[in-house]
Amino acid sequence: MTPPIRHAARAIALDEKDRVLLLHYDEGEGFWATPGGSLDEGETHETALRRELREELGVTDAELGPQLAERNQEHEVGGRTVRQVERYYLVRFATGTADLSRATQPDTIRSLRWWSVTELDMTDETVYPHGLGGLVAGLLSNGTPVRPVTLIS
């Protein structure tokens, strides 16, 4: 049986030093991932991403940029398997803007951290999406891709 599709919008959030913001989730063995989440009924990806940034980080004035990547993956949400179709957008805001104490829906977020591309490439910790370091390195070296990059699950 084919799992239902769940659409999501996620942020490749960069600060003034071109570091990437990742959230540490306290699920399973724990993992780091980009901010964002599923679309509510009637939302566009951009509207959902602004809502998620506000709910997870208290960020209300992020500069949303173009879509950089997409990813399709199957995983469990609320005890059922879904096929999540994610769009990743470039977002910029200052380091001190994100504050978990202002989150209205922190879910299972344990902490946040800004990562350099080098740190992403060298870590042994689980980071989603896979290939994030290469995506950001390419963005910083070559600019926005002509078409969104497809990330491997």
Side-chain angles (χ1 to χ4, degrees):
M1 183 172 182
T2 303
I5 293 177
R6 179 179 192 244
H7 293 278
R10 305 199 76 82
I12 306 289
L14 301 181
D15 70 0
E16 60 278 358
K17 296 178 184 175
D18 290 330
R19 295 177 302 174
V20 182
L21 178 67
L22 294 179
L23 305 177
H24 192 241
Y25 288 86
D26 191 17
E27 294 176 30
E29 302 293 318
F31 61 90
W32 293 92
T34 58
S38 65
L39 277 63
D40 286 342
E41 184 73 30
E43 280 186 317
T44 65
H45 285 81
E46 293 83 358
T47 302
L49 187 53
R50 287 187 188 284
R51 176 183 48 75
E52 289 286 340
L53 291 171
R54 187 175 57 255
E55 290 175 355
E56 293 180 341
L57 302 170
V59 173
T60 58
D61 60 348
E63 176 188 329
L64 266 58
Q67 182 184 348
L68 301 176
E70 55 191 33
R71 178 175 82 148
N72 290 298
Q73 67 160 17
E74 286 187 17
H75 68 102
E76 280 198 23
V77 175
R80 69 179 191 148
T81 301
V82 298
R83 172 162 291 284
Q84 185 146 304
V85 179
E86 300 173 331
R87 291 185 187 177
Y88 290 81
Y89 291 86
L90 176 61
V91 178
R92 288 206 175 258
F93 52 86
T95 304
T97 304
D99 183 349
L100 293 179
S101 70
R102 291 194 313 262
T104 59
Q105 293 188 6
D107 300 320
T108 60
I109 299 168
R110 185 183 315 160
S111 61
L112 63 82
R113 179 177 161 199
W114 292 94
W115 298 63
S116 69
V117 171
T118 302
E119 290 170 327
L120 283 172
D121 289 341
M122 295 180 68
T123 190
D124 290 331
E125 296 192 58
T126 302
V127 174
Y128 296 115
H130 297 295
L132 179 60
L135 176 66
V136 174
L139 171 68
L140 297 176
S141 295
N142 306 318
T144 304
V146 175
R147 283 185 298 285
V149 174
T150 300
L151 298 171
I152 298 174
S153 297

